[in-house]
Amino acid sequence: TLSPDPLPREPGELLKLGLSLIERAYDERARGLEAETARLRAFSAESEGRVTALQQRVSELEAQLRSGAAENASLVSERASLAAEKSSLAAENRSLQERLDKAGQFKR
């Protein structure tokens, strides 16, 4: 039959039971902490992977920006050159038109 009092009566047995409960609690807590540590390590590795990917993307975008800035500077320079050439051609056109007008006056 089962006794109504499941705890042992002898102090030595009570001590063994108490130590056994402490060991079980300690082991359970240690397993929980190990599982949490494993989850945190996995999360950290995943986060590091994301950071690496983002750093690479930033580097790519910075390179595109530098390339775009260089192309823009080249286009600005080309535009200035074309504007100067246009101005020169317009002046030459005016000069030729004046000469044509003068030549036309001589023919009359």
Side-chain angles (χ1 to χ4, degrees), residues 91-106:
E92 184 179 347
N93 186 40
R94 281 190 301 273
S95 174
L96 289 173
Q97 189 62 47
E98 288 172 4
R99 288 175 60 192
L100 260 175
D101 290 345
K102 286 180 185 177
Q105 289 176 357
F106 283 130

Side-chain angles (χ1 to χ4, degrees), residues 17-31:
L17 178 61
L19 288 174
S20 174
L21 289 173
I22 290 171
E23 285 176 358
R24 285 184 194 172
Y26 178 83
D27 289 343
E28 185 65 29
R29 179 71 174 142
R31 278 192 296 276

Side-chain angles (χ1 to χ4, degrees), residues 25-46:
Y26 178 83
D27 289 343
E28 185 65 29
R29 179 71 174 142
R31 278 192 296 276
L33 291 173
E34 287 170 356
E36 184 179 354
T37 299
R39 282 191 303 273
L40 290 172
R41 284 189 177 141
F43 177 77
S44 175
E46 183 180 325

Side-chain angles (χ1 to χ4, degrees), residues 46-65:
E46 183 180 325
S47 295
E48 287 175 9
R50 286 184 192 155
V51 166
T52 299
L54 288 172
Q55 286 174 335
Q56 184 176 4
R57 182 66 178 140
V58 166
S59 293
E60 291 169 1
L61 291 172
E62 286 173 340
Q64 288 177 4
L65 181 63

